[in-house]
Amino acid sequence: MTIKKLLYVLVLPLLLLTGNVMAQDKVVTGKVTDSAGAAIANASVLVKGGTTGSQTNADGTFSLKVPASAKSLTVTSVGFGSVDIPIIDGPLSVTLRSANTSLSEVVVIGYGSTRKKDLTGSVAVITSKDFQRGNITTPEQLIAGKVAGVSIISNGGQPGSGSQIRIRGGSSLNASNDPLIVIDGVPLAQSGIAGAGNPLSFINPNDIESFTVLKDASSAAIYGSRAANGVIIITTKKGKGGGLKLNFSSNLSVSNIAKKVDVFSGDEVRKIVNENGSPARIAQLGQANTDWQNEIYQSAISSDNNLSISGGIKSLPYRVTLGYQHLNGILKTDKLERTSLALALSPAFLDNHLKFDINLKGIMQKTRFANQGAIGGAVSFDPTQPVRTTDKRYGGFFEWRESDGSLILNRGNNPVGLLEQTFDDQKPMRSIGNAQIDYKFHFFPDLHANLNVGYDVSKNTGTRFVSDSAASNYETGGVRSQGKQTKTNTLLDFYFNYVKDIKSIKSRIDVTTGYSYNNFQTKDYNFRSYKANGDTFPSSKPVQFDFNLPENTLVSYFGRLNFNYNDKYLFTATVRRDGSSKFSRDNRWGTFPSMALSWRINNEPFLKNSTLISDLKLRVGYGITGQQEGIGFYDYIARYGIGGISNSYIFGQDTVIASSPFGYNASLKWETTTTYNAAIDFAFAKGRINGSVDFYLRKTKDLLNSVPQPTGTNFALYILSNVGSMENKGVEFNLNVQPIQNKITTLDLNFNATYNKNTVTNLTVVPNDPTYKGLPGSGAAGYNGAILISQVGGPRNTFYLYKQVYDQNDKPIEGLFEDLNRDGIITPDDRYLGQAADPNLFLGFSPNLGYKKFNFGFVMRASFNNYVYNNVYSNLGRLNQIAGSYTVGNGSANYLETGFTGKNAIQGGSDYYVQNASFLRMDNISIGYNVGKISRGKAVLRISGNIQNVFVVTKYSGLDPELNNGVDNNLYPRPRTYTIGFNLDF
């Protein structure tokens, strides 16, 4: 079904039914403001005890038809507390207090919700009013720099590419370090669909109401085996009842490259080659001055448009949204089109005893992925050569040729040709939905039964075509390949929730117990690849299996107890038992408990009447969470299949693909993380100053590590085994201050800081085996070997390189390193454990100023002690890259600093190339103006402007100091983006 047809089916019945709403007995009008007198838009106004309601306009006003019998209204808004107000004759004036001081605010947690004042774990809530602004393409970018303990690093500037998300540091080496993402009660699989750069790119950021981050085990253990790296709960916007409301927003953005790699110009290369090159190399020089980076990058224009329809039909609040984004990358030929449709229904029946929460979301993408090899090519290809030639061979692009005109092999290809002659078109689609049914028993109203049935289905079809005239695939006759993949994830949760205020003992009890079933199934289709003209490759035979169908099932039982005594002493206990088909029967089940205690000191008699202290709470917590992500579906089973070891066999001219054995480990079990947390929450001056300080220690055991196997004992050189341990310890600080609050001006400030220290404590079966150097990490172009290592006693992903020797002018001496073991020769044993790639301290700062109809804000982030290996310098900053006979191209301007020739084979392993990449980045700066009512009062207009990636302050000399792997090689540059937008409420 097309999006157009789906929109017709979903929206048309709602619009028709809207006209059948029965006339009410009277009309109530009013205005909702905050404590400073500023209007609150989109606040929910409901008849108390009923479902009739409406939302406020941008100026805070509302008009609502209510039954004659209605006595009062309930007014709520995200980020503010709830208030009940009696209905009187004449306009109503409603004031909402900020959630900073409203401890009765309901917070979404795993399998239910709770009051903010009853929280005992480390939980952070970010609502839409605090989101990052601008051209946001994936949801996690909305909260970058907003939450203490949460690091969000974008994977680059490609549209929809996503981010690396880390909560309190990574807890694993070979398994996943990504948090569990839950959208409206549906946990998402961490692996994405083929054809999409990021699984979260399928969620329209404009549909999101709030993020809840569960950071410690006492709050996250309810999710058990999937919560070792924390949990992020995303809640989308819902209908709030009332009359028909329309909202339309549109943003137009222009993106440009913010910084280019410093390389030589054509004239500079000619000078260096004429002075140092051989006659053959000099003869290769061209006459051009081509800036290849200018040739591959562009000013990219993008747009983001969203239409929402909301209201209520009797007892059926609804919201329908349609979104369309057209995103162009700054790398030419890179583009993403995204169409999204979402439907939210919240009907209630049986006098609100039976409630439904139905959420359906569908997104269709159409993507052309640019060949990112052009990024590296643009900094290495010879700038003395032109982009195109008069000869039409190889598409008319300049390429390195022999004297007879044939292609010189093993040379870099023209970067522009790589872009324009590669057609990688993908069409991924995804639909996420659930129906949650909550029943409050008539004969026992304190008990609720909740059933949640959900799905997450995605599909991709794509083709990759490279012309047979393209130099990159000239020898193979081009390529025409097809791909197809489907993923079907299903969910069933059922739980009981009992909440009771026991006034006789001044207590409140909240008990939840339930069952969960998750099934994950992937269908990978197998296709033959063809030449560009449609012929099969000589060795290509028909596939023996049409598709592969790996499947994983997770079954769970869980329970939670919250106990509140006299609003002073709070206790939470949680336990979850998970069974996963990824493990053998002996190791299939894991139990994950947690508990936490809180003491609300401000409710003690000696502080209860304090005018200074609004809130003061101590929290301690302990819990165990698990890890199964990153483990293959069948890694514990001895099996044969396509993709095993040595499954290609040559018979004459033919290559036959046959079933073959896989490496396996029958003893695989859960990787577990134990977390200890101690914290204090505080609020002063009626909540205008509030925050928290958290101390934590996370210990991971049964660490999943790739262990080498003795020859002949298994079918793989390395297999995944539960060997090793590591820990993270740190402190988080979060502070919110509202120094100015009056009817004209409000100023809100948020500051957060996180310190995290990661240490690998064991990696071998025999603890601290001195013969095991550590787990190798990433390598680097131009150097044969890993440059990162995870070694006992140090942080994971630590640089493991040779110590460079310098002359009296502090200039590095090529090929000269310190002999650290004093054996008289330089060997790999002279490498040492240096700086870590990951930061140990990062900060966020977000002020927001409101003045009359204007608002202004920005978001800044800082990172300290993150180090980067400048692979552009190490690979290109040498003479043989510029003047050599075989690697003909450009060079990094770093050559002028070092004078390195490139004759020493291990120079790339020097710590000279590791630089401190600490930085201060202004993520965005935004300004908005509320125009007010236009078109004779039929609409309310708001306009805004935004700049993203405003500036970066750093000593790092490369393109960008913010990397998620510590190696700067082929980063897709983060663009600077300028956005203007408007928002219309009808």
Side-chain angles (χ1 to χ4, degrees), residues 606-773:
F606 60 88
L607 283 180
K608 197 163 188 177
N609 296 319
S610 171
T611 58
L612 174 64
I613 299 175
S614 308
D615 185 39
L616 189 62
K617 181 198 289 185
L618 289 178
R619 295 183 279 111
V620 292
Y622 160 87
I624 300 174
T625 49
Q627 172 76 283
Q628 66 159 357
E629 301 295 339
I631 303 171
F633 286 177
Y634 310 111
D635 283 355
Y636 71 95
I637 301 175
R639 69 198 191 280
Y640 282 74
I642 298 297
I645 305 301
S646 300
N647 65 337
S648 298
Y649 301 93
I650 298 176
F651 293 92
Q653 298 297 316
D654 295 332
T655 300
V656 177
I657 307 297
S659 295
S660 57
F662 285 79
Y664 73 99
N665 180 3
S667 300
L668 274 177
K669 59 183 178 180
W670 305 95
E671 184 178 280
T672 58
T673 300
T674 302
T675 301
Y676 306 86
N677 197 88
I680 182 168
D681 301 327
F682 57 86
F684 305 102
K686 297 182 180 181
R688 291 177 63 176
I689 302 174
N690 66 86
S692 61
V693 182
D694 281 71
F695 299 89
Y696 63 86
L697 172 64
R698 305 174 68 212
K699 293 186 175 183
T700 302
K701 68 176 184 177
D702 295 326
L703 201 66
L704 290 163
N705 190 8
S706 293
V707 177
Q709 301 299 296
T711 303
T713 61
N714 210 308
F715 294 106
L717 296 176
Y718 294 85
I719 63 170
L720 205 60
S721 302
N722 295 98
V723 176
S725 58
M726 67 186 299
E727 70 176 30
N728 285 277
K729 57 184 177 181
V731 59
E732 300 168 354
F733 175 68
N734 185 72
L735 179 66
N736 301 292
V737 181
Q738 193 175 59
I740 303 174
Q741 183 187 43
N742 55 56
K743 291 185 178 181
I744 297 177
T745 307
T746 59
L747 176 61
D748 294 292
L749 305 175
N750 169 263
F751 173 78
N752 62 79
T754 304
Y755 172 80
N756 182 80
K757 182 180 180 181
N758 172 266
T759 306
V760 178
T761 52
N762 184 40
L763 287 174
T764 52
V765 176
V766 178
N768 302 322
D769 183 351
T771 64
Y772 183 65
K773 295 295 184 182

Side-chain angles (χ1 to χ4, degrees), residues 13-14 17-18 51-52 239-242 310-319 343-349 356 358:
L14 297 175
L17 287 171
T18 304
T51 58
T52 302
K240 299 180 180 179
S310 62
I313 306 168
K314 294 186 178 179
S315 60
L316 178 61
Y318 65 85
R319 187 174 191 270
L343 170 65
L345 303 173
S346 306
F349 307 98
F356 288 78
I358 301 170

